[in-house]
Amino acid sequence: MPDRSTPTPGPDLCSEEEVVRLVHAFYARARADAQLGPVFEAHVEDWPAHLALLVDFWSAMLRGTRRFRGAPVQRHMRLDGLDEAMFARWLALFRQTTAELGNVPMQQLADEMAERVAATFLARYRDARG
């Protein structure tokens, strides 16, 4: 029977270059998406800085680095018009991207973490909106 335990974050899971590829490929896909693209374009003014912050976030999640500084939940609470379909689409595009990278342990952990992030954001977003 295959081992279905979740991989753990750390430098052996993936390289920093793989994190950069994940973030850049995913956000290129999300920006081009008919549903998500307009939301990102309306709220992100400096894409290079935003991508660098997202690389730091996913590096912390996947590699255990500690350089991410931010409050992503609070920043997303300020956005109007988010709904469950958008979070589902975000996850679908994320999973599509991780599947293309060829690192199965990284894919498994990244997908599980993305599901948690999306669930947390959606729950808090709903609570904040009443």
Side-chain angles (χ1 to χ4, degrees):
M1 177 171 236
D3 180 13
R4 296 193 185 270
S5 63
T6 301
T8 57
D12 294 335
L13 178 71
C14 60
S15 68
E16 194 66 23
E17 292 77 22
E18 287 174 298
V19 174
V20 170
R21 274 198 315 269
L22 165 62
V23 169
H24 285 252
F26 169 69
Y27 282 95
R29 181 171 275 145
R31 290 175 73 185
D33 185 73
Q35 184 178 14
L36 299 179
V39 176
F40 283 108
E41 292 309 317
H43 297 287
V44 178
E45 295 177 16
D46 184 348
W47 272 101
H50 192 62
L51 289 170
L53 184 67
L54 291 164
V55 166
D56 287 349
F57 175 81
W58 284 104
S59 182
M61 297 293 100
L62 298 172
R63 302 190 77 240
T65 60
R66 297 178 186 253
R67 64 180 189 260
F68 176 73
R69 300 288 180 263
V73 174
Q74 290 80 4
R75 298 193 106 208
H76 288 81
M77 293 307 105
R78 291 185 245 162
L79 303 178
D80 289 322
L82 302 183
D83 61 30
E84 190 169 344
M86 289 177 167
F87 285 93
R89 183 69 180 148
W90 184 88
L91 277 172
L93 294 177
F94 191 87
R95 288 186 196 111
Q96 183 181 356
T97 306
T98 60
E100 294 171 354
L101 295 176
N103 180 334
V104 174
M106 176 185 170
Q107 175 187 358
Q108 183 181 359
L109 183 60
D111 288 353
E112 287 183 20
M113 290 186 162
E115 287 176 26
R116 284 189 230 142
V117 166
T120 298
F121 279 27
L122 181 57
R124 292 195 181 166
Y125 189 80
R126 284 179 175 160
D127 287 346
R129 298 291 185 259

